[in-house]
Amino acid sequence: KTMDDGGGNLVVDKFKSRLVVEGNWMTRLIDYTSSYSPVVSMDTLKVLLCLAVCFSMELTSLDFVTAFLQASVDGDHVYAYLPKGYEMHDEEGNLLCMHLHKNLYGMVQASRMFFLMVSAWLLNPLPLDQGGCGMVWTQLMSDQCVFYTQEGSHLCFLLLYVDDGAIMSTCSLLRAKVLKHIQARFKVEDKGPLQWFLGMMVTHSKEKGTLTLSVKASMLDKIKQFGLENVKPVKTPLKQKQAKGDDGLLSSDDATMFRSMVGCLIWYMLARPDIMEATSECTTRMHAPTNKDMTMAIR
Protein backbone atom coordinates (compact mmCIF):
# COMPACT_ATOMS: atom_id res chain seq x y z
CA LYS A 1 0.00 0.00 0.00
CA THR A 2 1.25 3.46 -0.84
CA MET A 3 0.79 6.89 0.70
CA ASP A 4 1.77 10.50 0.09
CA ASP A 5 5.14 11.38 1.62
CA GLY A 6 3.96 14.96 2.11
CA GLY A 7 5.71 16.25 -0.99
CA GLY A 8 3.35 14.89 -3.61
CA ASN A 9 5.18 11.58 -4.11
CA LEU A 10 3.81 8.10 -3.50
CA VAL A 11 5.91 5.99 -1.14
CA VAL A 12 5.41 2.50 0.31
CA ASP A 13 3.29 2.51 3.46
CA LYS A 14 3.14 -1.23 4.13
CA PHE A 15 3.33 -4.64 2.48
CA LYS A 16 0.26 -6.88 2.67
CA SER A 17 -0.80 -10.29 1.44
CA ARG A 18 -4.28 -11.75 1.37
CA LEU A 19 -6.07 -15.00 0.66
CA VAL A 20 -8.69 -13.96 -1.91
CA VAL A 21 -11.56 -16.09 -3.18
CA GLU A 22 -13.00 -15.84 -6.69
CA GLY A 23 -16.30 -14.13 -6.04
CA ASN A 24 -17.30 -14.45 -9.69
CA TRP A 25 -17.98 -18.15 -9.01
CA MET A 26 -20.52 -17.34 -6.30
CA THR A 27 -24.26 -17.77 -6.92
CA ARG A 28 -26.86 -15.31 -5.66
CA LEU A 29 -29.41 -16.75 -3.20
CA ILE A 30 -27.12 -19.76 -2.68
CA ASP A 31 -23.82 -18.26 -1.54
CA TYR A 32 -25.27 -14.84 -0.68
CA THR A 33 -28.50 -12.85 -0.77
CA SER A 34 -27.46 -9.20 -1.14
CA SER A 35 -24.15 -7.57 -1.96
CA TYR A 36 -24.81 -3.81 -1.66
CA SER A 37 -22.54 -2.18 0.90
CA PRO A 38 -23.10 1.47 1.87
CA VAL A 39 -20.18 3.87 2.31
CA VAL A 40 -20.10 7.44 3.57
CA SER A 41 -21.04 9.79 0.76
CA MET A 42 -18.51 12.33 -0.41
CA ASP A 43 -20.99 15.17 0.10
CA THR A 44 -21.43 14.13 3.74
CA LEU A 45 -17.67 13.82 4.16
CA LYS A 46 -17.02 17.34 2.88
CA VAL A 47 -19.76 18.87 5.04
CA LEU A 48 -18.43 17.15 8.17
CA LEU A 49 -14.87 18.24 7.41
CA CYS A 50 -16.14 21.81 7.11
CA LEU A 51 -17.83 21.49 10.49
CA ALA A 52 -14.61 20.08 11.93
CA VAL A 53 -12.82 23.25 10.88
CA CYS A 54 -15.57 25.56 12.14
CA PHE A 55 -15.68 23.95 15.59
CA SER A 56 -11.95 23.06 15.90
CA MET A 57 -12.70 19.35 16.17
CA GLU A 58 -10.04 16.66 16.49
CA LEU A 59 -9.73 14.35 13.46
CA THR A 60 -8.48 10.81 13.98
CA SER A 61 -7.96 8.00 11.48
CA LEU A 62 -8.57 4.36 12.28
CA ASP A 63 -8.28 1.16 10.30
CA PHE A 64 -10.12 -2.11 10.95
CA VAL A 65 -7.47 -4.84 10.68
CA THR A 66 -8.46 -7.72 8.35
CA ALA A 67 -11.94 -6.28 8.55
CA PHE A 68 -13.87 -8.82 6.48
CA LEU A 69 -12.57 -11.75 8.51
CA GLN A 70 -14.23 -10.28 11.59
CA ALA A 71 -17.74 -10.73 10.16
CA SER A 72 -19.68 -13.98 9.74
CA VAL A 73 -20.78 -15.14 6.29
CA ASP A 74 -24.26 -14.51 4.90
CA GLY A 75 -25.78 -17.98 5.30
CA ASP A 76 -24.87 -21.30 6.86
CA HIS A 77 -23.19 -23.09 3.98
CA VAL A 78 -20.59 -21.23 1.95
CA TYR A 79 -17.79 -23.32 0.48
CA ALA A 80 -14.54 -22.57 -1.35
CA TYR A 81 -11.80 -24.55 -3.03
CA LEU A 82 -8.56 -24.90 -1.09
CA PRO A 83 -5.67 -22.78 -2.42
CA LYS A 84 -3.43 -24.37 -5.03
CA GLY A 85 -0.80 -26.50 -3.37
CA TYR A 86 -3.16 -27.48 -0.55
CA GLU A 87 -5.27 -30.04 -2.37
CA MET A 88 -6.58 -32.65 0.07
CA HIS A 89 -8.73 -35.71 -0.51
CA ASP A 90 -10.82 -37.93 1.69
CA GLU A 91 -10.46 -41.71 1.97
CA GLU A 92 -12.49 -42.21 -1.21
CA GLY A 93 -10.39 -39.78 -3.23
CA ASN A 94 -12.94 -36.93 -3.26
CA LEU A 95 -11.49 -33.43 -3.30
CA LEU A 96 -12.00 -31.59 -0.01
CA CYS A 97 -12.93 -27.92 0.28
CA MET A 98 -13.23 -25.15 2.87
CA HIS A 99 -16.46 -24.56 4.79
CA LEU A 100 -16.31 -20.82 5.47
CA HIS A 101 -17.60 -19.30 8.69
CA LYS A 102 -16.07 -15.85 8.19
CA ASN A 103 -15.84 -13.64 5.11
CA LEU A 104 -12.76 -13.62 2.92
CA TYR A 105 -11.65 -10.88 0.54
CA GLY A 106 -13.19 -11.45 -2.87
CA MET A 107 -16.56 -12.59 -1.53
CA VAL A 108 -19.24 -10.32 -2.98
CA GLN A 109 -21.08 -9.89 0.34
CA ALA A 110 -17.99 -9.45 2.53
CA SER A 111 -18.13 -5.66 2.72
CA ARG A 112 -21.87 -5.64 3.36
CA MET A 113 -21.69 -8.18 6.18
CA PHE A 114 -18.89 -6.23 7.86
CA PHE A 115 -20.90 -2.98 7.77
CA LEU A 116 -24.03 -4.67 9.11
CA MET A 117 -22.01 -6.16 11.98
CA VAL A 118 -20.41 -2.84 12.94
CA SER A 119 -23.63 -0.80 12.63
CA ALA A 120 -25.63 -3.34 14.68
CA TRP A 121 -22.99 -3.18 17.44
CA LEU A 122 -22.91 0.63 17.46
CA LEU A 123 -26.68 0.85 17.76
CA ASN A 124 -26.72 -1.57 20.70
CA PRO A 125 -26.28 0.59 23.86
CA LEU A 126 -25.82 -2.38 26.21
CA PRO A 127 -22.56 -2.56 28.23
CA LEU A 128 -19.48 -4.03 26.58
CA ASP A 129 -19.62 -7.22 28.68
CA GLN A 130 -23.17 -7.82 27.39
CA GLY A 131 -22.29 -7.50 23.72
CA GLY A 132 -23.18 -3.83 23.27
CA CYS A 133 -21.00 -0.81 22.57
CA GLY A 134 -21.50 0.72 26.02
CA MET A 135 -22.51 4.08 24.53
CA VAL A 136 -25.55 5.63 22.89
CA TRP A 137 -24.93 6.16 19.19
CA THR A 138 -27.36 7.62 16.67
CA GLN A 139 -27.26 6.88 12.96
CA LEU A 140 -27.37 9.98 10.78
CA MET A 141 -30.69 10.00 8.91
CA SER A 142 -29.13 11.43 5.74
CA ASP A 143 -26.18 8.99 5.68
CA GLN A 144 -26.30 5.54 7.25
CA CYS A 145 -22.49 5.33 7.41
CA VAL A 146 -22.22 8.23 9.87
CA PHE A 147 -22.90 7.77 13.58
CA TYR A 148 -22.73 10.34 16.37
CA THR A 149 -22.75 10.29 20.15
CA GLN A 150 -22.98 13.10 22.68
CA GLU A 151 -21.82 13.47 26.26
CA GLY A 152 -22.75 16.75 27.86
CA SER A 153 -21.75 19.54 25.51
CA HIS A 154 -19.27 17.38 23.59
CA LEU A 155 -20.02 15.64 20.31
CA CYS A 156 -18.29 12.82 18.43
CA PHE A 157 -18.85 11.54 14.88
CA LEU A 158 -17.77 8.18 13.46
CA LEU A 159 -17.49 7.87 9.67
CA LEU A 160 -17.25 4.48 7.96
CA TYR A 161 -15.99 3.70 4.47
CA VAL A 162 -15.75 -0.11 4.34
CA ASP A 163 -12.75 -0.85 6.63
CA ASP A 164 -11.52 2.75 6.84
CA GLY A 165 -12.90 5.03 9.49
CA ALA A 166 -12.51 8.51 10.90
CA ILE A 167 -13.42 9.99 14.26
CA MET A 168 -14.36 13.66 14.64
CA SER A 169 -14.64 14.89 18.22
CA THR A 170 -14.87 18.16 20.11
CA CYS A 171 -13.17 16.55 23.12
CA SER A 172 -10.00 14.42 23.29
CA LEU A 173 -11.36 12.49 26.28
CA LEU A 174 -14.52 11.53 24.39
CA ARG A 175 -12.42 10.52 21.37
CA ALA A 176 -10.24 8.30 23.59
CA LYS A 177 -13.31 6.69 25.14
CA VAL A 178 -14.85 5.95 21.74
CA LEU A 179 -11.62 4.43 20.47
CA LYS A 180 -11.20 2.33 23.62
CA HIS A 181 -14.70 0.88 23.26
CA ILE A 182 -14.23 0.09 19.57
CA GLN A 183 -10.89 -1.61 20.23
CA ALA A 184 -12.52 -3.70 22.95
CA ARG A 185 -14.74 -5.29 20.30
CA PHE A 186 -12.79 -5.12 17.03
CA LYS A 187 -9.21 -5.36 15.87
CA VAL A 188 -8.61 -1.70 15.09
CA GLU A 189 -5.43 0.24 14.42
CA ASP A 190 -5.30 3.80 15.75
CA LYS A 191 -3.53 5.71 12.97
CA GLY A 192 -3.42 9.00 14.86
CA PRO A 193 -4.38 12.38 13.39
CA LEU A 194 -6.24 12.16 10.09
CA GLN A 195 -3.61 12.73 7.42
CA TRP A 196 -4.55 10.21 4.73
CA PHE A 197 -8.15 9.19 3.94
CA LEU A 198 -9.49 7.40 0.84
CA GLY A 199 -6.42 8.24 -1.19
CA MET A 200 -6.55 11.92 -0.23
CA MET A 201 -3.93 13.75 1.80
CA VAL A 202 -5.64 15.71 4.58
CA THR A 203 -3.86 18.76 6.02
CA HIS A 204 -5.69 20.13 9.06
CA SER A 205 -4.56 23.05 11.21
CA LYS A 206 -6.74 23.85 14.22
CA GLU A 207 -4.62 26.92 14.97
CA LYS A 208 -5.10 28.44 11.50
CA GLY A 209 -8.62 27.08 11.06
CA THR A 210 -7.83 25.45 7.71
CA LEU A 211 -8.21 22.06 6.09
CA THR A 212 -7.10 21.04 2.61
CA LEU A 213 -7.55 17.87 0.56
CA SER A 214 -4.93 16.85 -1.98
CA VAL A 215 -4.70 14.00 -4.49
CA LYS A 216 -1.47 15.31 -6.02
CA ALA A 217 0.58 12.17 -5.36
CA SER A 218 -2.00 9.91 -6.98
CA MET A 219 -2.37 12.31 -9.92
CA LEU A 220 1.37 12.37 -10.62
CA ASP A 221 1.47 8.57 -10.39
CA LYS A 222 -1.37 8.20 -12.91
CA ILE A 223 0.18 10.78 -15.25
CA LYS A 224 3.25 8.53 -15.41
CA GLN A 225 1.12 5.39 -15.79
CA PHE A 226 -0.78 6.86 -18.74
CA GLY A 227 2.38 8.30 -20.32
CA LEU A 228 1.29 11.94 -20.10
CA GLU A 229 4.45 13.45 -18.57
CA ASN A 230 5.20 15.54 -21.66
CA VAL A 231 1.65 16.79 -22.31
CA LYS A 232 1.36 20.56 -21.98
CA PRO A 233 -0.89 21.87 -19.20
CA VAL A 234 -4.02 23.90 -20.01
CA LYS A 235 -5.93 26.56 -18.11
CA THR A 236 -9.41 25.08 -18.50
CA PRO A 237 -10.36 21.39 -18.25
CA LEU A 238 -13.07 21.59 -20.93
CA LYS A 239 -12.50 22.91 -24.43
CA GLN A 240 -15.22 25.29 -25.61
CA LYS A 241 -15.21 24.05 -29.21
CA GLN A 242 -15.47 20.51 -30.50
CA ALA A 243 -12.05 18.85 -30.76
CA LYS A 244 -10.70 18.48 -34.29
CA GLY A 245 -9.27 15.30 -35.78
CA ASP A 246 -10.23 11.68 -36.34
CA ASP A 247 -13.46 10.63 -34.64
CA GLY A 248 -12.94 6.91 -35.16
CA LEU A 249 -13.55 4.39 -32.39
CA LEU A 250 -10.66 3.58 -30.10
CA SER A 251 -9.02 0.16 -30.17
CA SER A 252 -9.86 -2.26 -27.37
CA ASP A 253 -6.68 -1.43 -25.41
CA ASP A 254 -7.08 2.33 -25.86
CA ALA A 255 -10.76 2.12 -24.85
CA THR A 256 -9.72 0.32 -21.65
CA MET A 257 -7.16 3.03 -20.98
CA PHE A 258 -9.79 5.73 -21.60
CA ARG A 259 -12.15 4.14 -19.08
CA SER A 260 -9.33 3.86 -16.53
CA MET A 261 -8.53 7.54 -17.02
CA VAL A 262 -12.16 8.56 -16.53
CA GLY A 263 -12.40 6.37 -13.42
CA CYS A 264 -9.43 8.23 -11.94
CA LEU A 265 -10.93 11.61 -12.86
CA ILE A 266 -14.20 10.71 -11.14
CA TRP A 267 -12.27 10.03 -7.93
CA TYR A 268 -10.21 13.21 -8.27
CA MET A 269 -13.40 15.30 -8.35
CA LEU A 270 -13.41 14.88 -4.53
CA ALA A 271 -10.59 17.38 -4.28
CA ARG A 272 -10.94 19.03 -7.68
CA PRO A 273 -14.52 20.25 -8.24
CA ASP A 274 -13.28 22.37 -11.16
CA ILE A 275 -13.00 19.24 -13.34
CA MET A 276 -16.52 18.03 -12.57
CA GLU A 277 -18.19 19.25 -15.78
CA ALA A 278 -15.42 17.97 -18.03
CA THR A 279 -15.33 14.60 -16.27
CA SER A 280 -19.11 14.26 -16.48
CA GLU A 281 -18.85 14.87 -20.21
CA CYS A 282 -16.29 12.06 -20.49
CA THR A 283 -18.50 9.61 -18.59
CA THR A 284 -21.16 9.81 -21.30
CA ARG A 285 -18.66 8.30 -23.80
CA MET A 286 -17.72 5.19 -21.82
CA HIS A 287 -19.68 2.72 -23.98
CA ALA A 288 -17.95 3.53 -27.30
CA PRO A 289 -15.11 6.07 -26.85
CA THR A 290 -13.56 7.72 -29.90
CA ASN A 291 -10.23 9.42 -30.56
CA LYS A 292 -11.81 12.81 -29.80
CA ASP A 293 -13.01 11.46 -26.46
CA MET A 294 -9.49 10.34 -25.63
CA THR A 295 -8.22 13.83 -26.48
CA MET A 296 -10.81 15.30 -24.08
CA ALA A 297 -9.84 12.86 -21.29
CA ILE A 298 -6.15 13.67 -21.71
CA ARG A 299 -6.93 17.39 -21.51
Side-chain angles (χ1 to χ4, degrees):
K1 296 187 69 175
T2 58
M3 63 179 295
D4 194 324
D5 65 354
N9 301 305
L10 287 179
V11 295
V12 174
D13 178 29
K14 65 179 69 171
F15 293 97
K16 302 183 71 174
S17 63
R18 287 175 178 160
L19 177 64
V20 181
V21 299
E22 295 181 286
N24 55 298
W25 286 83
M26 300 179 70
T27 304
R28 189 171 182 270
L29 299 181
I30 296 179
D31 299 314
Y32 67 96
T33 54
S34 300
S35 59
Y36 172 73
S37 176
V39 293
V40 60
S41 78
M42 295 302 104
D43 290 339
T44 302
L45 175 63
K46 290 180 179 179
V47 170
L48 290 176
L49 290 178
C50 289
L51 291 175
V53 175
C54 293
F55 294 98
S56 299
M57 302 178 75
E58 293 186 9
L59 299 177
T60 304
S61 176
L62 54 88
D63 180 43
F64 289 87
V65 181
T66 57
F68 296 168
L69 276 69
Q70 300 189 45
S72 300
V73 298
D74 179 19
D76 297 326
H77 303 291
V78 179
Y79 301 92
Y81 289 109
L82 288 162
K84 292 181 180 179
Y86 288 89
E87 291 186 356
M88 300 173 62
H89 300 79
D90 62 14
E91 296 178 353
E92 299 178 356
N94 298 314
L95 184 66
L96 298 178
C97 65
M98 296 185 291
H99 183 193
L100 303 178
H101 297 279
K102 299 291 184 179
N103 291 279
L104 291 177
Y105 286 83
M107 296 173 63
V108 296
Q109 79 273 33
S111 177
R112 174 180 176 83
M113 299 310 298
F114 175 73
F115 171 78
L116 292 177
M117 177 188 66
V118 174
S119 60
W121 179 78
L122 285 171
L123 297 176
N124 182 357
L126 291 176
L128 289 171
D129 57 1
Q130 297 182 28
C133 67
M135 302 178 70
V136 178
W137 287 90
T138 304
Q139 199 169 24
L140 202 65
M141 294 183 64
S142 60
D143 196 316
Q144 58 184 319
C145 291
V146 178
F147 302 82
Y148 64 90
T149 185
Q150 188 172 3
E151 288 193 357
S153 60
H154 295 295
L155 186 67
C156 182
F157 287 94
L158 175 63
L159 292 68
L160 296 176
Y161 195 104
V162 191
D163 59 346
D164 290 317
I167 296 176
M168 295 172 41
S169 178
T170 58
C171 173
S172 58
L173 293 178
L174 179 56
R175 182 203 70 84
K177 179 180 178 180
V178 168
L179 193 57
K180 180 180 178 181
H181 281 226
I182 294 176
Q183 289 178 327
R185 172 62 178 83
F186 304 101
K187 294 180 180 179
V188 174
E189 178 185 358
D190 179 7
K191 306 194 76 171
L194 185 66
Q195 297 178 332
W196 187 258
F197 192 63
L198 305 181
M200 296 180 292
M201 184 177 179
V202 182
T203 305
H204 179 216
S205 173
K206 294 175 62 176
E207 294 74 19
K208 297 180 181 179
T210 61
L211 186 146
T212 59
L213 301 176
S214 173
V215 289
K216 179 181 179 181
S218 179
M219 283 182 169
L220 293 176
D221 182 63
K222 292 302 179 181
I223 285 174
K224 293 179 181 178
Q225 178 182 329
F226 297 132
L228 305 178
E229 300 99 315
N230 298 322
V231 176
K232 295 181 179 180
V234 293
K235 294 182 179 180
T236 57
L238 188 63
K239 202 167 186 177
Q240 298 302 314
K241 297 181 180 180
Q242 184 72 16
K244 297 181 180 179
D246 181 19
D247 199 25
L249 292 175
L250 294 174
S251 65
S252 177
D253 290 343
D254 287 342
T256 298
M257 178 177 170
F258 170 82
R259 296 184 182 106
S260 297
M261 293 170 68
V262 176
C264 292
L265 291 170
I266 291 173
W267 191 252
Y268 295 154
M269 288 193 302
L270 298 176
R272 288 289 303 276
D274 57 309
I275 67 171
M276 187 173 295
E277 182 181 1
T279 301
S280 299
E281 189 72 20
C282 287
T283 61
T284 64
R285 313 284 203 274
M286 299 284 272
H287 63 293
T290 66
N291 289 300
K292 289 184 179 180
D293 298 328
M294 176 63 88
T295 300
M296 181 165 61
I298 291 174
R299 180 186 179 91

PDB file of all heavy atoms in Angstrom, residues 114 145 241 263 265 273:
ATOM      1  N   PHE A 114     -19.707  -6.944   6.879  1.00  0.00           N
ATOM      2  CA  PHE A 114     -18.891  -6.227   7.860  1.00  0.00           C
ATOM      3  C   PHE A 114     -19.608  -4.967   8.321  1.00  0.00           C
ATOM      4  O   PHE A 114     -19.651  -4.671   9.528  1.00  0.00           O
ATOM      5  CB  PHE A 114     -17.532  -5.876   7.256  1.00  0.00           C
ATOM      6  CG  PHE A 114     -16.678  -5.035   8.160  1.00  0.00           C
ATOM      7  CD1 PHE A 114     -16.079  -5.584   9.280  1.00  0.00           C
ATOM      8  CD2 PHE A 114     -16.489  -3.685   7.904  1.00  0.00           C
ATOM      9  CE1 PHE A 114     -15.299  -4.806  10.129  1.00  0.00           C
ATOM     10  CE2 PHE A 114     -15.712  -2.903   8.741  1.00  0.00           C
ATOM     11  CZ  PHE A 114     -15.122  -3.465   9.855  1.00  0.00           C
ATOM     12  N   CYS A 145     -23.861   5.669   7.044  1.00  0.00           N
ATOM     13  CA  CYS A 145     -22.489   5.326   7.407  1.00  0.00           C
ATOM     14  C   CYS A 145     -21.872   6.341   8.359  1.00  0.00           C
ATOM     15  O   CYS A 145     -20.662   6.319   8.596  1.00  0.00           O
ATOM     16  CB  CYS A 145     -21.617   5.210   6.153  1.00  0.00           C
ATOM     17  SG  CYS A 145     -22.043   3.786   5.142  1.00  0.00           S
ATOM     18  N   LYS A 241     -14.814  24.522 -27.889  1.00  0.00           N
ATOM     19  CA  LYS A 241     -15.213  24.048 -29.209  1.00  0.00           C
ATOM     20  C   LYS A 241     -14.922  22.561 -29.342  1.00  0.00           C
ATOM     21  O   LYS A 241     -14.057  22.029 -28.672  1.00  0.00           O
ATOM     22  CB  LYS A 241     -14.478  24.840 -30.299  1.00  0.00           C
ATOM     23  CG  LYS A 241     -14.819  26.330 -30.317  1.00  0.00           C
ATOM     24  CD  LYS A 241     -14.082  27.037 -31.442  1.00  0.00           C
ATOM     25  CE  LYS A 241     -14.412  28.517 -31.474  1.00  0.00           C
ATOM     26  NZ  LYS A 241     -13.699  29.226 -32.575  1.00  0.00           N
ATOM     27  N   GLY A 263     -12.194   6.846 -14.787  1.00  0.00           N
ATOM     28  CA  GLY A 263     -12.403   6.375 -13.418  1.00  0.00           C
ATOM     29  C   GLY A 263     -11.559   7.151 -12.424  1.00  0.00           C
ATOM     30  O   GLY A 263     -12.025   7.502 -11.341  1.00  0.00           O
ATOM     31  N   LEU A 265     -10.420  10.236 -12.890  1.00  0.00           N
ATOM     32  CA  LEU A 265     -10.928  11.607 -12.860  1.00  0.00           C
ATOM     33  C   LEU A 265     -12.155  11.730 -11.958  1.00  0.00           C
ATOM     34  O   LEU A 265     -12.325  12.724 -11.250  1.00  0.00           O
ATOM     35  CB  LEU A 265     -11.266  12.076 -14.276  1.00  0.00           C
ATOM     36  CG  LEU A 265     -10.065  12.280 -15.209  1.00  0.00           C
ATOM     37  CD1 LEU A 265     -10.536  12.502 -16.643  1.00  0.00           C
ATOM     38  CD2 LEU A 265      -9.221  13.454 -14.746  1.00  0.00           C
ATOM     39  N   PRO A 273     -13.186  20.020  -7.673  1.00  0.00           N
ATOM     40  CA  PRO A 273     -14.522  20.254  -8.243  1.00  0.00           C
ATOM     41  C   PRO A 273     -14.489  20.988  -9.572  1.00  0.00           C
ATOM     42  O   PRO A 273     -15.475  20.963 -10.314  1.00  0.00           O
ATOM     43  CB  PRO A 273     -15.232  21.083  -7.158  1.00  0.00           C
ATOM     44  CG  PRO A 273     -14.126  21.704  -6.370  1.00  0.00           C
ATOM     45  CD  PRO A 273     -13.007  20.709  -6.379  1.00  0.00           C
TER      46      PRO A 273
END
